Amino acid sequence: MIREMLIAGAGGFFGTCGRYLVVKWAGGVWHGNFPMGTFLVNVIGCFIIGLIFGVLEKLPVMTPGERALLITGLCGGFTTFSSFANEMWTLGDKGDWSTFALYLALSVIIGIACVWAGRAVIR
């Protein structure tokens, strides 16, 4: 477990560095109010995790260490939105629409409420 945790941490380092670079680049290119850097990171992360899970469906050859490095580490460090989006897709693919709707609504509503609460505590 410690080995895989360290591998995930290494992947997270590279994912976080990638996120930083994309957000910085987008900030220099995009000058509107839309948070383009975060949007790009989320979209790219969703595409990457989709590629990884697509490969795993066809060729389940990834070791637990590789999964920790690429999925938990790299994609998780780049954006946790990719994991959320993949879980949503899985629920939809299974036809579990009630859990899909509940997870979507709770994640967005409670996520925003927690940001508000955290900011309110600091004020």
Side-chain angles (χ1 to χ4, degrees), residues 86-104:
N86 185 66
E87 290 164 350
M88 293 296 296
W89 184 90
T90 300
L91 290 169
D93 190 51
K94 291 179 180 176
D96 190 353
W97 298 110
S98 59
T99 305
F100 179 100
L102 180 66
Y103 186 36
L104 177 63

Side-chain angles (χ1 to χ4, degrees), residues 5-118:
M5 183 179 69
L6 293 172
I7 291 170
F13 170 79
F14 289 106
T16 300
C17 290
R19 177 185 181 91
Y20 176 81
L21 292 172
V22 169
V23 170
K24 281 296 201 186
W25 172 81
V29 174
W30 180 263
H31 301 292
N33 290 331
F34 188 81
M36 185 59 76
T38 300
F39 176 75
L40 288 174
V41 163
N42 288 337
V43 170
I44 293 166
C46 289
F47 182 73
I48 291 170
I49 205 168
L51 286 175
I52 293 169
F53 276 103
V55 167
L56 286 174
E57 287 174 357
K58 300 219 180 271
L59 304 167
V61 295
M62 198 173 285
T63 67
E66 291 167 336
R67 288 177 72 98
L69 177 73
L70 295 174
I71 297 168
T72 305
L74 183 69
C75 289
F78 196 62
T79 172
T80 58
F81 187 79
S82 60
S83 295
F84 169 74
N86 185 66
E87 290 164 350
M88 293 296 296
W89 184 90
T90 300
L91 290 169
D93 190 51
K94 291 179 180 176
D96 190 353
W97 298 110
S98 59
T99 305
F100 179 100
L102 180 66
Y103 186 36
L104 177 63
L106 289 177
S107 295
V108 172
I109 293 166
I110 292 174
I112 293 169
C114 285
V115 168
W116 174 85

